[in-house]
Amino acid sequence: MDITEFVMGHEASIRLISFFGVFALMAVWELLSPRRALTVSKPARWANNVGLVALNTVMLRLLFPAAAVGMAAYAAEQGWGLFNYLDAPTWLAVVISVIAMDLAIYMQHVMFHRVPALWRLHRVHHADLDYDVTTGTRFHPIEIILSMLIKFAAIVVLGPPVLGVLLFEVLLNAMAMFNHANIRIPRPIDRAARWVVVTPDMHRVHHSVAEDEANSNFGFNLPWWDRLFGTYRGQPRAGHRGMSIGIREYRDPCQVNRLRGMLALPFIGTVAGYAINRREWNVPGGGDTDPLVR
Ligand SMILES: [Zn+2]
């Protein structure tokens, strides 16, 4: 049996085993060495966050039974995408594919913050009042579907090996749980690790209620994109223990930490002063009318 056949046959179980393994590891680490004190009841929060993950997992399997690896196999069959066109060695195609898909996810994440309708969906991930391993897995079902379609588009363009796609998905899932984990990593180790991976202290800045901090550190796996594109921010102003997690306008646990509230969140309220084009223009030097449009 060749590697592609093996991956296709065992994709779901490989991902499930990796998910439960990393989840358990982070959950124990959080108990042994927590970074911050949690602010809302952990059992209720966890039940609802994990409930949303279960719902998303079942929904994805029903909508896309062959998943992203199925799309990669189909693109290979059709000869679509860069690596199905070039004759590159498999290892090189795997490495470049994983890096390129990580860049695509970074760009997608920036877009979900800037476009008002997409920010409505992505707010569900940010509205969590605490920051731990379960935060890393909670996304609105519509955001999950859009992410999968964007991934399909990237696969069609890139033509990555099936193994590269599986590796990327396993890594992304494991890293999301790691860098959202409420774990303490000594400062010198964190500083060194940040050159190759996104660490919990680095990504926590992105979950600050302060909008300038939330608009930083969009990377999930590789920390390079934030440094390269100018969105890197080292630490939160209030420090990791003093900073507030979540979204300023949505602080009611019955809304943001209950399954019903999370599913409804994209459809309530307004998006003001945060997403692109929503901040009001103040005429420099005062006055209430912009002379250019008067
Ligand atoms: Zn975000």
Side-chain angles (χ1 to χ4, degrees):
M1 186 191 284
D2 79 348
I3 186 80
T4 302
E5 262 177 72
F6 181 84
V7 167
M8 294 298 292
H10 297 81
E11 185 256 353
S13 43
I14 293 169
R15 292 190 54 190
L16 219 57
I17 291 167
S18 151
F19 170 79
F20 283 115
V22 177
F23 190 98
L25 193 70
M26 293 306 142
V28 172
W29 194 347
E30 287 181 347
L31 284 176
L32 296 177
S33 179
R35 184 73 164 106
R36 293 162 48 91
L38 299 180
T39 62
V40 292
S41 154
K42 185 170 169 178
R45 222 185 106 249
W46 273 43
N48 285 274
N49 282 359
V50 173
L52 184 54
V53 179
L55 178 74
N56 285 336
T57 309
V58 171
M59 178 199 67
L60 269 188
R61 285 289 149 187
L62 290 175
L63 280 178
F64 309 107
V69 291
M71 186 46 120
Y74 186 69
E77 235 173 67
Q78 304 295 318
W80 292 344
L82 185 69
F83 287 111
N84 291 316
Y85 185 75
L86 296 176
D87 201 17
T90 307
W91 69 267
L92 186 66
V94 167
V95 171
I96 295 177
S97 298
V98 168
I99 295 174
M101 282 189 281
D102 194 50
L103 174 60
I105 291 284
Y106 167 89
M107 291 295 183
Q108 176 192 328
H109 190 185
V110 173
M111 181 174 81
F112 269 77
H113 273 256
R114 300 325 282 156
V115 179
L118 299 179
W119 170 240
R120 282 179 175 275
L121 298 171
H122 190 58
R123 282 193 305 194
V124 174
H125 174 62
H126 277 264
D128 202 347
L129 295 169
D130 278 319
Y131 182 85
D132 68 14
V133 58
T134 64
T135 313
T137 58
R138 60 169 256 177
F139 290 90
H140 195 275
I142 302 175
E143 178 169 0
I144 293 283
I145 294 172
L146 290 177
S147 298
M148 187 54 100
L149 295 176
I150 291 169
K151 206 179 294 171
F152 283 176
I155 288 169
V156 167
V157 171
L158 201 60
V162 166
L163 178 64
V165 173
L166 177 75
L167 195 65
F168 176 71
E169 294 214 288
V170 166
L171 272 177
L172 180 68
N173 188 248
M175 284 299 294
M177 287 190 279
F178 166 70
N179 58 38
H180 287 86
N182 183 33
I183 53 179
R184 208 180 58 78
I185 295 176
R187 189 53 86 81
I189 296 177
D190 175 83
R191 200 176 301 138
R194 274 187 199 205
W195 290 103
V196 274
V197 288
V198 174
T199 66
D201 273 10
M202 178 175 163
H203 192 70
R204 193 177 298 101
V205 179
H206 179 73
H207 282 259
S208 167
V209 293
E211 290 164 1
D212 56 343
E213 293 179 344
N215 269 303
S216 310
N217 301 1
F218 292 94
F220 279 115
N221 291 315
L222 296 168
W224 311 330
W225 315 124
D226 284 298
R227 293 181 190 259
L228 191 64
F229 293 109
T231 51
Y232 179 74
R233 187 179 289 254
Q235 308 294 338
R237 270 183 300 269
H240 289 280
R241 285 170 200 275
M243 70 185 287
S244 295
I245 299 288
I247 300 178
R248 205 183 293 280
E249 301 94 324
Y250 298 98
R251 314 287 313 159
D252 176 10
C254 294
Q255 170 82 54
V256 300
N257 284 122
R258 293 294 175 274
L259 192 52
R260 272 169 64 115
M262 287 189 251
L263 293 175
L265 195 60
F267 309 104
I268 62 164
T270 51
V271 171
Y274 180 77
I276 205 166
N277 208 18
R278 298 293 98 183
R279 190 166 290 141
E280 278 190 29
W281 168 252
N282 293 317
V283 180
D288 47 35
T289 318
D290 184 345
L292 291 176
V293 295
R294 191 159 45 198

mmCIF file of all heavy atoms in Angstrom, residues 109 113 119 122 125-126 206-207 218, ligand 1:
data_model
loop_
_atom_site.group_PDB
_atom_site.id
_atom_site.type_symbol
_atom_site.label_atom_id
_atom_site.label_comp_id
_atom_site.label_asym_id
_atom_site.label_seq_id
_atom_site.Cartn_x
_atom_site.Cartn_y
_atom_site.Cartn_z
ATOM 1 N N HIS A 109 -7.029 34.715 7.974
ATOM 2 C CA HIS A 109 -7.298 35.213 9.327
ATOM 3 C C HIS A 109 -7.358 36.746 9.338
ATOM 4 O O HIS A 109 -8.253 37.336 9.939
ATOM 5 C CB HIS A 109 -6.215 34.676 10.274
ATOM 6 C CG HIS A 109 -6.515 34.908 11.724
ATOM 7 N ND1 HIS A 109 -5.622 34.594 12.721
ATOM 8 C CD2 HIS A 109 -7.595 35.445 12.353
ATOM 9 C CE1 HIS A 109 -6.159 34.916 13.882
ATOM 10 N NE2 HIS A 109 -7.342 35.431 13.688
ATOM 11 N N HIS A 113 -10.751 39.339 10.097
ATOM 12 C CA HIS A 113 -10.803 40.453 11.046
ATOM 13 C C HIS A 113 -11.241 41.749 10.383
ATOM 14 O O HIS A 113 -11.825 42.607 11.025
ATOM 15 C CB HIS A 113 -9.428 40.669 11.694
ATOM 16 C CG HIS A 113 -9.221 39.816 12.899
ATOM 17 N ND1 HIS A 113 -9.290 40.298 14.182
ATOM 18 C CD2 HIS A 113 -8.985 38.479 13.011
ATOM 19 C CE1 HIS A 113 -9.093 39.304 15.037
ATOM 20 N NE2 HIS A 113 -8.898 38.197 14.356
ATOM 21 N N TRP A 119 -15.960 39.328 10.106
ATOM 22 C CA TRP A 119 -15.635 39.563 11.518
ATOM 23 C C TRP A 119 -16.807 39.142 12.416
ATOM 24 O O TRP A 119 -16.614 38.615 13.501
ATOM 25 C CB TRP A 119 -15.232 41.029 11.753
ATOM 26 C CG TRP A 119 -15.118 41.408 13.195
ATOM 27 C CD1 TRP A 119 -15.832 42.369 13.858
ATOM 28 C CD2 TRP A 119 -14.235 40.843 14.186
ATOM 29 N NE1 TRP A 119 -15.471 42.428 15.171
ATOM 30 C CE2 TRP A 119 -14.491 41.496 15.414
ATOM 31 C CE3 TRP A 119 -13.273 39.832 14.152
ATOM 32 C CZ2 TRP A 119 -13.822 41.188 16.601
ATOM 33 C CZ3 TRP A 119 -12.592 39.511 15.328
ATOM 34 C CH2 TRP A 119 -12.866 40.184 16.537
ATOM 35 N N HIS A 122 -16.134 35.517 12.922
ATOM 36 C CA HIS A 122 -14.896 35.245 13.663
ATOM 37 C C HIS A 122 -14.981 35.740 15.110
ATOM 38 O O HIS A 122 -14.220 35.290 15.969
ATOM 39 C CB HIS A 122 -13.717 35.879 12.919
ATOM 40 C CG HIS A 122 -12.365 35.484 13.446
ATOM 41 N ND1 HIS A 122 -11.947 34.170 13.505
ATOM 42 C CD2 HIS A 122 -11.341 36.209 13.964
ATOM 43 C CE1 HIS A 122 -10.732 34.119 14.028
ATOM 44 N NE2 HIS A 122 -10.341 35.350 14.321
ATOM 45 N N HIS A 125 -15.087 33.115 17.926
ATOM 46 C CA HIS A 125 -13.810 32.601 18.447
ATOM 47 C C HIS A 125 -13.213 33.571 19.479
ATOM 48 O O HIS A 125 -12.680 33.148 20.496
ATOM 49 C CB HIS A 125 -12.849 32.383 17.273
ATOM 50 C CG HIS A 125 -11.461 31.984 17.667
ATOM 51 N ND1 HIS A 125 -11.197 30.816 18.360
ATOM 52 C CD2 HIS A 125 -10.256 32.578 17.478
ATOM 53 C CE1 HIS A 125 -9.891 30.721 18.573
ATOM 54 N NE2 HIS A 125 -9.296 31.776 18.054
ATOM 55 N N HIS A 126 -13.360 34.873 19.209
ATOM 56 C CA HIS A 126 -12.725 35.880 20.081
ATOM 57 C C HIS A 126 -13.529 36.219 21.325
ATOM 58 O O HIS A 126 -12.989 36.782 22.271
ATOM 59 C CB HIS A 126 -12.475 37.172 19.288
ATOM 60 C CG HIS A 126 -11.221 37.118 18.483
ATOM 61 N ND1 HIS A 126 -10.029 37.641 18.929
ATOM 62 C CD2 HIS A 126 -10.957 36.562 17.282
ATOM 63 C CE1 HIS A 126 -9.090 37.424 18.022
ATOM 64 N NE2 HIS A 126 -9.630 36.767 17.004
ATOM 65 N N HIS A 206 -3.280 38.392 20.680
ATOM 66 C CA HIS A 206 -4.323 38.497 19.655
ATOM 67 C C HIS A 206 -5.745 38.383 20.242
ATOM 68 O O HIS A 206 -6.715 38.752 19.593
ATOM 69 C CB HIS A 206 -4.080 37.410 18.602
ATOM 70 C CG HIS A 206 -5.081 37.382 17.491
ATOM 71 N ND1 HIS A 206 -5.109 38.342 16.504
ATOM 72 C CD2 HIS A 206 -6.103 36.532 17.222
ATOM 73 C CE1 HIS A 206 -6.108 38.067 15.671
ATOM 74 N NE2 HIS A 206 -6.722 36.973 16.097
ATOM 75 N N HIS A 207 -5.857 37.860 21.459
ATOM 76 C CA HIS A 207 -7.179 37.697 22.085
ATOM 77 C C HIS A 207 -7.484 38.787 23.113
ATOM 78 O O HIS A 207 -8.411 38.670 23.903
ATOM 79 C CB HIS A 207 -7.315 36.303 22.701
ATOM 80 C CG HIS A 207 -7.603 35.260 21.658
ATOM 81 N ND1 HIS A 207 -8.861 34.749 21.438
ATOM 82 C CD2 HIS A 207 -6.790 34.678 20.746
ATOM 83 C CE1 HIS A 207 -8.810 33.881 20.439
ATOM 84 N NE2 HIS A 207 -7.561 33.808 20.000
ATOM 85 N N PHE A 218 -1.521 37.277 13.919
ATOM 86 C CA PHE A 218 -2.554 36.491 13.259
ATOM 87 C C PHE A 218 -2.114 35.063 12.959
ATOM 88 O O PHE A 218 -2.922 34.234 12.597
ATOM 89 C CB PHE A 218 -2.952 37.158 11.926
ATOM 90 C CG PHE A 218 -3.667 38.482 12.094
ATOM 91 C CD1 PHE A 218 -2.961 39.683 12.064
ATOM 92 C CD2 PHE A 218 -5.032 38.528 12.281
ATOM 93 C CE1 PHE A 218 -3.615 40.887 12.212
ATOM 94 C CE2 PHE A 218 -5.695 39.738 12.423
ATOM 95 C CZ PHE A 218 -4.979 40.921 12.393
HETATM 96 ZN ZN ZN B 1 -8.605 36.229 15.234
#
